[in-house]
Amino acid sequence: MNHKRLFIPGPVETRPENLLALATPQVGHRSKEFQELYADVNKKLMKFLHTEQYVFLSTSSSSGVMEGGMRNLVNKKVLATTCGAFSERWYKMGLENGKEADQLAVEWGKAVKPEMIDEKLKTGEYDSVAVVFNETSTGVMNPVKEIAEVVKKYPDVLLMVDAVSAMAGVDIDFDGWGLDLCLAGLQKCFGLPAGLAVFAVSEKALKRAEQVENRGFYFDFLSFKKYHDKNMTASTPAIPHIFALNAQMTDILAEGSARFDRHARMAKLVQDWANKHFEVFAEEGYASNTVTCIKNTRNISVADLNGELAKHQCTISNGYGDLKEKTFRIAHMADTQEWEIRGLLSLIDSILGH
Ligand SMILES: Cc1ncc(COP(=O)(O)O)c(C=O)c1O
């Protein structure tokens, strides 16, 4: 096997037990067995995201649900906050779905701060705000809890959170923080293959959707709700992924808060290593717990480094877009353990002659 162990920010390694769960014999998606499976996984996800509102499953990648957020929750104008390549998609999706949208952009590597959003919301122009929890292109983790505090001051404004590379790596208190949409795909901190997205939605958000026209068909949140009430999905879902997610959620809940502590410790290991040999790209105090973006201060060839790592069945990520070769990224998410990160860093040390 020449499988390379993935230290990239998604897809990540899937444990063999979960790969086997994907191979569970199929059930019909309108069967009682499916309804039981749906109810079981839903209960676990609600507990995990600390919500008594709604958690839906979408057979799509996360981008589909982001587009759904724009289609369902924006009536007046959305404030799309951007701090890197993925958050910029929020803004593009708003415009390309015919919504009025303003961009609140901060420099790549910096975090979006609550007071910046407060300043914009004071104008009364917006009915929704979009943020990325963890900007995968820059390794910045935005202060979503504090941002939510600010948004709460404006009861007519909904908060949409792209938690694609954060959910299951950091604790998210959906109800406690007062989020309205929070989404992620399985291929990052959940440690499962790509193909299914999980998203929590508030009552308030569904009320908004009722007033919005042209929500589309596939990502109509009210349609998700209608089938959810019967423990089903509106269209044929990725049933193998739901079996695997159900198995993985049992393990994630059993690991409890230790999961988030493990992510924090792995992040610290990589950040300390990065600051010793290079520099962390993220603004101080906002470096991500799930992926570290490292400034290539020594002008190494990241492509060559990855070529050498490949000989040892490992791979990391080059920088994203314009940051290619100027940065590189090491993911420390999902079921990855500290010993694996230590091993990877020692391997890089031996390749670079540290
Ligand atoms: C923060 C963030 N948002 C959105 C996406 C898009 O996810 P997908 O390609 O699964 O739709 C990604 C993908 O890496 C991401 O990291």
Side-chain angles (χ1 to χ4, degrees):
M1 278 283 284
N2 59 2
H3 170 67
K4 285 186 274 196
R5 203 160 180 84
L6 300 172
F7 292 96
I8 63 174
V12 298
E13 291 298 313
T14 298
R15 287 184 293 127
E17 304 89 293
N18 288 333
L19 287 173
L20 279 175
L22 286 162
T24 308
Q26 291 293 281
V27 295
H29 67 294
R30 299 292 178 230
S31 68
K32 189 164 166 288
E33 290 91 333
F34 180 82
Q35 287 176 303
E36 284 167 5
L37 171 67
Y38 185 101
D40 199 15
V41 74
N42 190 254
K43 198 168 77 194
K44 293 173 192 173
L45 287 166
M46 287 176 75
K47 183 172 180 203
F48 180 60
L49 293 172
H50 309 286
T51 182
E52 292 183 356
Q53 301 184 79
Y54 300 99
V55 183
F56 299 147
L57 300 177
S58 171
T59 296
S60 67
S61 81
S62 303
S63 304
V65 182
M66 290 171 72
E67 190 148 84
M70 287 294 168
R71 285 297 277 264
N72 285 262
L73 308 187
V74 182
N75 230 354
K76 197 160 75 175
K77 195 186 211 183
V78 60
L79 178 67
T81 65
T82 66
C83 58
F86 292 103
S87 42
E88 284 176 5
R89 288 189 188 177
W90 269 133
Y91 179 56
K92 286 186 199 132
M93 280 181 187
L95 295 178
E96 286 175 22
N97 280 288
K99 303 290 177 171
E100 272 201 66
D102 277 348
Q103 186 178 14
L104 167 57
V106 302
E107 196 188 324
W108 287 34
K110 300 270 190 287
V112 177
K113 311 287 173 4
E115 55 277 15
M116 299 172 180
I117 294 177
D118 200 14
E119 213 44 52
K120 290 294 227 176
L121 293 186
K122 273 182 196 157
T123 62
E125 281 180 53
Y126 307 98
D127 66 358
S128 42
V129 178
V131 295
V132 67
F133 202 139
N134 189 69
E135 178 48 73
T136 318
S137 62
T138 62
V140 165
M141 204 160 248
N142 283 319
V144 170
K145 185 180 173 202
E146 290 75 15
I147 288 172
E149 262 322 295
V150 159
V151 177
K152 257 190 213 162
K153 295 199 316 197
Y154 305 89
D156 297 332
V157 178
L158 299 179
L159 178 56
M160 305 191 272
V161 180
D162 162 357
V164 172
S165 54
M167 191 186 289
V170 294
D171 201 13
I172 298 177
D173 184 357
F174 187 80
D175 288 359
W177 296 355
L179 309 184
D180 295 296
L181 170 65
C182 187
L183 64 107
L186 296 191
Q187 77 275 21
K188 300 199 195 277
C189 302
F190 282 101
L192 294 170
L196 192 78
V198 168
F199 64 111
V201 184
S202 69
E203 284 289 357
K204 199 165 126 189
L206 290 182
K207 285 261 165 339
R208 167 74 57 79
E210 285 171 10
Q211 298 155 12
V212 179
E213 285 176 12
N214 298 319
R215 296 185 301 274
F217 182 86
Y218 193 73
F219 293 109
D220 178 358
F221 287 0
L222 297 184
S223 167
F224 276 87
K225 158 83 167 68
K226 183 173 154 206
Y227 283 87
H228 169 85
D229 288 345
K230 300 186 271 192
N231 285 318
M232 283 184 195
T233 53
S235 44
T236 320
I239 299 167
H241 288 73
I242 303 178
F243 278 120
L245 178 61
N246 199 29
Q248 175 69 332
M249 283 315 300
T250 301
D251 291 349
I252 287 180
L253 288 173
E255 193 180 4
S257 62
R259 184 177 189 83
F260 310 123
D261 297 344
R262 175 167 57 77
H263 278 80
R265 284 197 307 276
M266 293 192 296
K268 172 103 177 40
L269 275 176
V270 180
Q271 289 160 12
D272 287 350
W273 176 88
N275 280 327
K276 184 167 166 205
H277 300 292
F278 297 90
E279 213 178 288
V280 170
F281 185 72
E283 173 180 2
E284 211 184 325
Y286 297 93
S288 163
N289 273 8
T290 62
V291 56
T292 299
C293 181
I294 299 157
K295 231 190 243 179
N296 185 6
T297 48
R298 293 164 41 192
N299 275 322
I300 61 158
S301 161
V302 177
D304 288 355
L305 170 61
N306 239 345
E308 286 304 308
L309 285 171
K311 294 180 190 164
H312 300 270
Q313 283 79 44
C314 289
T315 188
I316 60 170
S317 252
N318 210 318
Y320 193 93
D322 290 345
L323 292 178
K324 196 169 174 181
E325 290 294 331
K326 293 185 190 133
T327 64
F328 57 98
R329 293 169 298 158
I330 298 177
H332 28 83
M333 58 173 71
D335 296 330
T336 304
Q337 302 298 315
E338 276 168 275
W339 64 266
E340 294 171 273
I341 294 295
R342 285 184 199 280
L344 174 74
L345 297 177
S346 309
L347 188 55
I348 299 178
D349 280 341
S350 69
I351 293 168
L352 297 181
H354 290 154

